[in-house]
Amino acid sequence: MRAMVMHSPGEPLRFEDLPRPEPQPGQLLLRVRACAVCRTDLHIFDGELDRPKLPLVLGHQIVGETEDGRRVGVPWLAWTDGDCRYCRSGRENLCDSARFTGYDVDGGYAEWVVADERFCFPIPEGYDDVAATPLLCAGLIGYRSLRLAGAAERLGLYGFGASAHLVAQVALWEGRRVFAFVRPGDQAGAAFARELGVEWAGPSDELPPEELDAAIIFAPVGPLVPQALRATAKGGVVVCAGIHMSDIPAFPYELLWGERVVRSVANLTRRDGEEFLAAAPRVPVRTQVETFPLEQANEALAKLRSGDLRGSAVLVP
Ligand SMILES: [Zn+2]
Ligand SMILES: [Zn+2]
């Protein structure tokens, strides 16, 4: 099968011919219909997540088709032991021995993939293969971040990309007021957010017109943490949604005082996936995508890096 293969961090992915993977008991063999590119892929590619299997096929937002014609989604969480302290308390996202798709096991930048059936999701009706792919991480981990933001009425989203544009739709549907923060100077990003119906869109180094009850930071930029705290009301929460972030600068305790909370979001549970994929068609969450042929995975990663995408890049084998 054709695949884009990572041999070492920072080196362009190579277009190669690999043997088709053999499903083990409990695994599905899937023909990859489409696979969206996630910022995590870029962190792995750059060596910021330091223990990938090598060589590696990236990609963990996969829509695949089984041999009997069912469409299933393969997310980041590939496998857990089911038995550790975290798994036994409903927190399999924190499992000590978890394996991740496109990191510990090969992912979807290929024509075929195998996946543990227990960790796959059915794809909701009303989404074609390409449109469904960003739901599987950008949507799903965004949804978990939104849940961890609590019942916040005034919600700030820092970094208005693949994940935020999906979370904004769910938050607006839930009746929240949404404030979008983009890179200073990114007029197109602010316009994109306003088109989706957010109440205010502006640069991330500005304060919003009102205090926020919660903020979610999608951009991997540590200095946004004190910035978001500064914009957040007493008792508010700042959720860091990415798997990697640059260092957070020191900040005065006063920004945290007043029972403000800073927390991260790690991975997903299968329950997050079931809840989000049930909610998505009801909103309905519309994904914005730009497609690339599989062999242009390097170009897709470069476009994500430069902030040149509206929504998600999706590879189609
Ligand atoms: Zn576990
Ligand atoms: Zn992801």
Side-chain angles (χ1 to χ4, degrees), residues 119-132:
F119 291 84
C120 296
F121 300 113
I123 299 297
E125 296 293 320
Y127 290 91
D128 66 33
D129 299 332
V130 167

PDB file of all heavy atoms in Angstrom, residues 119-132:
ATOM      1  N   PHE A 119     -12.210   0.717  20.093  1.00  0.00           N
ATOM      2  CA  PHE A 119     -11.873   2.136  20.192  1.00  0.00           C
ATOM      3  C   PHE A 119     -12.309   2.933  18.950  1.00  0.00           C
ATOM      4  O   PHE A 119     -11.982   4.101  18.832  1.00  0.00           O
ATOM      5  CB  PHE A 119     -10.374   2.305  20.481  1.00  0.00           C
ATOM      6  CG  PHE A 119     -10.017   1.838  21.867  1.00  0.00           C
ATOM      7  CD1 PHE A 119      -9.759   0.499  22.120  1.00  0.00           C
ATOM      8  CD2 PHE A 119      -9.990   2.734  22.939  1.00  0.00           C
ATOM      9  CE1 PHE A 119      -9.474   0.045  23.405  1.00  0.00           C
ATOM     10  CE2 PHE A 119      -9.702   2.291  24.224  1.00  0.00           C
ATOM     11  CZ  PHE A 119      -9.440   0.953  24.461  1.00  0.00           C
ATOM     12  N   CYS A 120     -13.024   2.264  18.037  1.00  0.00           N
ATOM     13  CA  CYS A 120     -13.518   2.946  16.836  1.00  0.00           C
ATOM     14  C   CYS A 120     -14.946   3.446  17.077  1.00  0.00           C
ATOM     15  O   CYS A 120     -15.660   2.905  17.909  1.00  0.00           O
ATOM     16  CB  CYS A 120     -13.535   1.985  15.647  1.00  0.00           C
ATOM     17  SG  CYS A 120     -11.895   1.420  15.171  1.00  0.00           S
ATOM     18  N   PHE A 121     -15.323   4.456  16.338  1.00  0.00           N
ATOM     19  CA  PHE A 121     -16.675   5.026  16.466  1.00  0.00           C
ATOM     20  C   PHE A 121     -17.417   4.896  15.139  1.00  0.00           C
ATOM     21  O   PHE A 121     -16.821   5.074  14.085  1.00  0.00           O
ATOM     22  CB  PHE A 121     -16.594   6.524  16.782  1.00  0.00           C
ATOM     23  CG  PHE A 121     -15.882   6.857  18.054  1.00  0.00           C
ATOM     24  CD1 PHE A 121     -14.671   7.532  18.029  1.00  0.00           C
ATOM     25  CD2 PHE A 121     -16.422   6.501  19.284  1.00  0.00           C
ATOM     26  CE1 PHE A 121     -14.005   7.854  19.207  1.00  0.00           C
ATOM     27  CE2 PHE A 121     -15.770   6.829  20.463  1.00  0.00           C
ATOM     28  CZ  PHE A 121     -14.556   7.501  20.421  1.00  0.00           C
ATOM     29  N   PRO A 122     -18.734   4.655  15.205  1.00  0.00           N
ATOM     30  CA  PRO A 122     -19.503   4.767  13.955  1.00  0.00           C
ATOM     31  C   PRO A 122     -19.567   6.232  13.522  1.00  0.00           C
ATOM     32  O   PRO A 122     -19.599   7.130  14.366  1.00  0.00           O
ATOM     33  CB  PRO A 122     -20.897   4.249  14.340  1.00  0.00           C
ATOM     34  CG  PRO A 122     -20.945   4.206  15.824  1.00  0.00           C
ATOM     35  CD  PRO A 122     -19.555   4.302  16.357  1.00  0.00           C
ATOM     36  N   ILE A 123     -19.559   6.479  12.224  1.00  0.00           N
ATOM     37  CA  ILE A 123     -19.622   7.854  11.700  1.00  0.00           C
ATOM     38  C   ILE A 123     -21.096   8.269  11.592  1.00  0.00           C
ATOM     39  O   ILE A 123     -21.896   7.527  11.028  1.00  0.00           O
ATOM     40  CB  ILE A 123     -18.944   7.920  10.304  1.00  0.00           C
ATOM     41  CG1 ILE A 123     -17.472   7.530  10.404  1.00  0.00           C
ATOM     42  CG2 ILE A 123     -19.100   9.301   9.671  1.00  0.00           C
ATOM     43  CD1 ILE A 123     -16.624   8.447  11.257  1.00  0.00           C
ATOM     44  N   PRO A 124     -21.444   9.434  12.156  1.00  0.00           N
ATOM     45  CA  PRO A 124     -22.860   9.839  12.102  1.00  0.00           C
ATOM     46  C   PRO A 124     -23.338  10.078  10.676  1.00  0.00           C
ATOM     47  O   PRO A 124     -22.566  10.447   9.795  1.00  0.00           O
ATOM     48  CB  PRO A 124     -22.902  11.129  12.929  1.00  0.00           C
ATOM     49  CG  PRO A 124     -21.491  11.572  13.113  1.00  0.00           C
ATOM     50  CD  PRO A 124     -20.607  10.399  12.878  1.00  0.00           C
ATOM     51  N   GLU A 125     -24.634   9.847  10.461  1.00  0.00           N
ATOM     52  CA  GLU A 125     -25.270  10.141   9.171  1.00  0.00           C
ATOM     53  C   GLU A 125     -25.115  11.624   8.857  1.00  0.00           C
ATOM     54  O   GLU A 125     -25.031  12.444   9.766  1.00  0.00           O
ATOM     55  CB  GLU A 125     -26.773   9.832   9.252  1.00  0.00           C
ATOM     56  CG  GLU A 125     -27.114   8.371   9.477  1.00  0.00           C
ATOM     57  CD  GLU A 125     -26.737   7.504   8.299  1.00  0.00           C
ATOM     58  OE1 GLU A 125     -26.948   7.958   7.150  1.00  0.00           O
ATOM     59  OE2 GLU A 125     -26.218   6.400   8.521  1.00  0.00           O
ATOM     60  N   GLY A 126     -25.120  11.954   7.583  1.00  0.00           N
ATOM     61  CA  GLY A 126     -25.133  13.365   7.207  1.00  0.00           C
ATOM     62  C   GLY A 126     -23.741  13.948   7.021  1.00  0.00           C
ATOM     63  O   GLY A 126     -23.612  15.121   6.708  1.00  0.00           O
ATOM     64  N   TYR A 127     -22.718  13.153   7.247  1.00  0.00           N
ATOM     65  CA  TYR A 127     -21.345  13.615   7.014  1.00  0.00           C
ATOM     66  C   TYR A 127     -20.706  12.736   5.956  1.00  0.00           C
ATOM     67  O   TYR A 127     -20.722  11.500   6.085  1.00  0.00           O
ATOM     68  CB  TYR A 127     -20.505  13.520   8.298  1.00  0.00           C
ATOM     69  CG  TYR A 127     -20.906  14.527   9.352  1.00  0.00           C
ATOM     70  CD1 TYR A 127     -21.857  14.211  10.309  1.00  0.00           C
ATOM     71  CD2 TYR A 127     -20.336  15.798   9.381  1.00  0.00           C
ATOM     72  CE1 TYR A 127     -22.242  15.145  11.272  1.00  0.00           C
ATOM     73  CE2 TYR A 127     -20.713  16.730  10.339  1.00  0.00           C
ATOM     74  CZ  TYR A 127     -21.661  16.394  11.278  1.00  0.00           C
ATOM     75  OH  TYR A 127     -22.034  17.318  12.225  1.00  0.00           O
ATOM     76  N   ASP A 128     -20.128  13.349   4.924  1.00  0.00           N
ATOM     77  CA  ASP A 128     -19.371  12.511   3.993  1.00  0.00           C
ATOM     78  C   ASP A 128     -18.009  12.198   4.626  1.00  0.00           C
ATOM     79  O   ASP A 128     -17.681  12.713   5.706  1.00  0.00           O
ATOM     80  CB  ASP A 128     -19.275  13.143   2.599  1.00  0.00           C
ATOM     81  CG  ASP A 128     -18.471  14.430   2.574  1.00  0.00           C
ATOM     82  OD1 ASP A 128     -17.508  14.561   3.359  1.00  0.00           O
ATOM     83  OD2 ASP A 128     -18.795  15.315   1.757  1.00  0.00           O
ATOM     84  N   ASP A 129     -17.232  11.346   3.961  1.00  0.00           N
ATOM     85  CA  ASP A 129     -15.990  10.851   4.564  1.00  0.00           C
ATOM     86  C   ASP A 129     -15.062  11.997   4.955  1.00  0.00           C
ATOM     87  O   ASP A 129     -14.521  12.032   6.063  1.00  0.00           O
ATOM     88  CB  ASP A 129     -15.246   9.928   3.578  1.00  0.00           C
ATOM     89  CG  ASP A 129     -16.068   8.702   3.213  1.00  0.00           C
ATOM     90  OD1 ASP A 129     -16.899   8.281   4.029  1.00  0.00           O
ATOM     91  OD2 ASP A 129     -15.866   8.171   2.104  1.00  0.00           O
ATOM     92  N   VAL A 130     -14.871  12.925   4.030  1.00  0.00           N
ATOM     93  CA  VAL A 130     -13.926  14.025   4.268  1.00  0.00           C
ATOM     94  C   VAL A 130     -14.436  14.932   5.386  1.00  0.00           C
ATOM     95  O   VAL A 130     -13.713  15.289   6.319  1.00  0.00           O
ATOM     96  CB  VAL A 130     -13.696  14.809   2.957  1.00  0.00           C
ATOM     97  CG1 VAL A 130     -12.987  16.126   3.219  1.00  0.00           C
ATOM     98  CG2 VAL A 130     -12.880  13.964   1.970  1.00  0.00           C
ATOM     99  N   ALA A 131     -15.713  15.282   5.313  1.00  0.00           N
ATOM    100  CA  ALA A 131     -16.287  16.215   6.298  1.00  0.00           C
ATOM    101  C   ALA A 131     -16.277  15.630   7.706  1.00  0.00           C
ATOM    102  O   ALA A 131     -16.216  16.370   8.693  1.00  0.00           O
ATOM    103  CB  ALA A 131     -17.706  16.584   5.896  1.00  0.00           C
ATOM    104  N   ALA A 132     -16.329  14.296   7.813  1.00  0.00           N
ATOM    105  CA  ALA A 132     -16.390  13.670   9.145  1.00  0.00           C
ATOM    106  C   ALA A 132     -15.033  13.641   9.838  1.00  0.00           C
ATOM    107  O   ALA A 132     -14.970  13.590  11.075  1.00  0.00           O
ATOM    108  CB  ALA A 132     -16.930  12.247   9.021  1.00  0.00           C
TER     109      ALA A 132
END
